[in-house]
Amino acid sequence: MVTGDNEGFWSAAEEGRLVVQRCAGCRALHHPPRPMCPDCRSVDLGWEQAVGTGVVYSYALLHHPQHPAFEYPVVAALVDLDEGVRLVTNLVDVEPHQVRIGMPVEVAFEPTADGFAVPVFRPRGAP
Amino acid sequence: MSGRLRGSASIVGLGQTEFSKSAGRSETRLAAEAIVSALADAGLPVESVDGLVSYTIDPVEETELVRSVGIPEVRWSSRVPYGGGGSQGVLLHAAAAVAAGVAEVVVAYRAVKARSGARVGRAEVSGRASSSHAGTTAGQWCTPYGVLTPASWMALNATRYMHASGATSEDFGRAVVQMRAYAAANPNAHFAGRPITLADHQASRWIAEPCIRLFDCCQETDGAVALVVTGADRAADSRAPVAVAAAAGAGVFEEEVASNHYRPDLSVMDSSVALAAQLFDEGGVGRDEIDVAMIYDAFSPILLMQLESLGFCGRGEAKDFVADGHLGPGGRLPCNTNGGLIGGGYIHGLNLTGEAVRQLRGESCNQVGGATTVLVTSSRTGVVLRRG
Ligand SMILES: [Zn+2]
């Protein structure tokens, strides 16, 4: 669901860029993005491109229930970006049972069924 | 806040419908039936009700409820944000209203048709147009990735918990076997007469690997539960009052229920840590006073996580606490004696409160002898209930 508070993230993704919200007031990074900085109450918030590397903080192989828009098992993961924020995402280009907490990953972009591009992650160094 | 409310309100009535896979009637009717039953149990007329409280995700409209049950005047009403994580918040709200004198007789209720209506665990991509999870972090950031159900939200936390604690699927299974043993002895439970072994648990299919199997999940249920709350003075005339000794809520309010993915350490339920500080430290209740605990077990991993975060055992020790039988009869913390949400049914946690009332009245199917103090928690909200 695209809203005024998150559209910058998804429109950057469509251009193949991973961005994180940065507060112009105190320079803190925030994800998920929000309309006010919880650290300094500034509403001057912008988007900054992330390097796109991080590590797997946690994961789960989702088997049931199944929705036709996805392939199963869905490899769901939490990735901690090197910038220090965490994303809910999918892992690609990896055998599901090889996924491990702490695995280094890098961003990739995958088209979705309804035409959006979403940032996903693959093992770092994978082709 | 919790200290100020200490003992000022009591639960005087408990009502519920049957729990089934298909109630064959509307949520409004289920709520109405449970409320009428609870008022009969309390010995109070419908006309005495002047307060209502439920969850924001409850589908029952107050207008329809009032005109069905025939409540002449509602002076105060409220809803606790989101779903089961706020379940015990209805008692905090009710007790606060009674203590403040804005209502005298408050009915707290929850009606669900999770089984035959919009199933909570069924994968849906479009959020529902209610104040459920549609516009919140879970919906916005999980849906594009196929993370569509409460089990899949919670699995991301549970895998991290396994990593931090060394707990395994078998460790979760041992808790499930205990829930199912309690349920087996409870004729009103979803799994009445159907205990399982650890091997059965391990043979059940993966929902979310490596942490949640089918048997780790609560049972989506149709049904309703209602509780009648009134002031301690008025409660003295009732058949079997249960005092709300402490009530607390909110905790760390970054999560609805199972979609907290952004706190620094997800192997800890920060909301339960905050809740325990309110109930035990500020509320003046000792953990060693708790005779029976009702702990929200929508999925078995969060039962172990809450045992640690509430301080009943140390970090990483819940697996040993469970394996040593402490959740069972005669254990240090007999837990979810109705079979929990996993074995008993899933009325979003309010059925756990009902079982707490039965324990304090000496009417549980798995009665803990001499139980005088019962804890009921659902991650970010909780109550301590006492006999009398
Ligand atoms: Zn700031």
Side-chain angles (χ1 to χ4, degrees):
Chain A
M1 184 185 303
V2 177
T3 70
D5 294 328
N6 69 22
E7 65 179 345
F9 181 91
W10 296 112
S11 56
E14 281 186 71
E15 299 166 2
R17 295 186 302 118
L18 176 65
V19 298
V20 178
Q21 189 182 45
R22 186 182 289 281
C23 172
C26 73
R27 308 298 297 157
L29 289 167
H30 299 298
H31 186 84
R34 55 210 70 181
M36 177 179 282
C37 174
D39 295 334
C40 74
R41 319 317 155 197
S42 170
V43 292
D44 188 3
L45 298 149
W47 301 97
E48 184 168 298
Q49 186 153 344
V51 173
T53 51
V55 296
V56 174
Y57 178 80
S58 190
Y59 70 95
L61 311 181
L62 309 180
H63 294 276
H64 294 283
Q66 300 197 343
H67 187 282
F70 300 95
E71 285 179 30
Y72 289 84
V74 166
V75 183
L78 298 175
V79 167
D80 281 349
L81 295 184
D82 292 342
E83 286 83 359
V85 299
R86 186 176 298 155
L87 305 178
V88 178
T89 190
N90 293 137
L91 301 182
V92 299
D93 297 338
V94 61
E95 202 283 310
H97 289 99
Q98 298 301 316
V99 175
R100 294 287 180 272
I101 285 173
M103 176 182 274
V105 292
E106 64 187 11
V107 74
F109 289 87
E110 282 220 330
T112 65
D114 46 3
F116 288 94
V118 297
V120 296
F121 287 79
R122 63 187 176 206
R124 217 178 292 170
Chain B
M1 177 57 92
S2 56
R4 222 178 287 169
L5 292 176
R6 205 175 298 172
S8 56
S10 297
I11 299 170
V12 295
L14 165 64
Q16 67 184 47
T17 64
E18 82 287 0
F19 300 161
S20 73
K21 291 186 177 180
S22 182
R25 53 205 197 276
S26 71
E27 287 100 334
T28 307
R29 179 164 156 191
L30 292 169
E33 290 177 12
I35 289 169
V36 167
S37 164
L39 288 165
D41 181 53
L44 290 170
V46 168
E47 290 73 19
S48 67
V49 176
D50 59 359
L52 293 174
V53 58
S54 187
Y55 312 11
T56 53
I57 67 165
D58 193 274
V60 177
E61 299 288 347
E62 282 85 347
T63 50
E64 301 310 303
L65 190 62
V66 162
R67 69 164 67 116
S68 297
V69 177
I71 300 169
E73 186 179 353
V74 174
R75 291 169 177 247
W76 171 91
S77 69
S78 172
R79 293 205 179 205
V80 179
Y82 308 114
S87 61
Q88 305 312 307
V90 297
L91 289 170
L92 173 63
H93 283 218
V98 165
V102 296
E104 281 191 26
V105 177
V106 177
V107 171
Y109 62 94
R110 173 79 176 110
V112 276
K113 279 180 30 177
R115 191 79 203 185
S116 64
R119 288 182 61 180
V120 177
R122 188 170 54 193
E124 288 180 28
V125 165
S126 60
R128 266 160 281 160
S130 71
S131 56
S132 58
H133 305 286
T136 58
T137 51
Q140 288 179 21
W141 300 100
C142 292
T143 303
Y145 297 102
V147 183
L148 305 177
T149 61
S152 61
W153 303 334
M154 178 47 68
L156 294 167
N157 304 56
T159 304
R160 186 71 196 190
Y161 170 72
M162 294 172 80
H163 176 77
S165 68
T168 64
S169 172
E170 288 87 348
D171 292 315
F172 300 145
R174 277 182 266 277
V176 173
V177 168
Q178 181 59 64
M179 299 304 101
R180 291 290 296 268
Y182 281 133
N186 174 5
N188 296 316
H190 202 93
F191 282 121
R194 293 167 65 191
I196 61 166
T197 64
L198 186 57
D200 294 332
H201 172 272
Q202 288 294 297
S204 71
R205 72 182 186 189
W206 284 117
I207 300 300
E209 195 177 349
C211 47
I212 300 178
R213 295 178 184 275
L214 180 63
F215 285 179
D216 291 304
C217 299
C218 62
Q219 287 306 304
E220 294 179 321
T221 307
D222 285 10
V225 173
L227 298 161
V228 180
V229 176
T230 190
D233 47 345
R234 190 164 178 162
D237 302 330
S238 76
R239 175 177 77 87
V242 164
V244 181
V252 179
F253 217 131
E254 259 187 66
E255 63 200 80
E256 301 113 69
V257 50
S259 54
N260 165 24
H261 297 136
Y262 303 103
R263 304 282 305 169
D265 183 355
L266 298 188
S267 68
V268 179
M269 290 178 72
D270 289 331
S271 54
S272 293
V273 173
L275 177 69
Q278 288 187 43
L279 286 177
F280 300 128
D281 304 335
E282 294 170 40
V285 177
R287 288 175 182 79
D288 57 357
E289 291 180 67
I290 304 298
D291 300 310
V292 185
M294 307 298 298
I295 298 177
Y296 200 83
D297 58 330
F299 307 102
S300 62
I302 64 170
L303 174 52
L304 277 73
M305 293 169 76
Q306 285 172 95
L307 285 170
E308 295 176 14
S309 294
L310 291 166
F312 287 104
C313 47
R315 295 282 305 278
E317 293 174 1
K319 59 184 186 298
D320 306 309
F321 192 83
V322 172
D324 291 344
H326 288 308
L327 305 185
R332 293 219 306 261
L333 194 72
C335 183
N336 297 359
T337 49
N338 63 334
L341 307 175
I342 286 172
Y346 186 50
I347 312 297
H348 262 184
L350 212 54
N351 50 323
L352 296 180
T353 327
E355 172 68 5
V357 170
R358 282 190 290 273
Q359 281 287 351
L360 292 167
R361 290 173 167 184
E363 296 169 358
S364 169
C365 295
N366 292 294
Q367 184 63 44
V368 173
T372 57
T373 306
V374 180
L375 170 73
V376 195
T377 70
S378 55
S379 75
R380 63 185 159 85
T381 59
V383 290
V384 175
L385 304 178
R386 284 213 170 98
R387 184 184 294 175

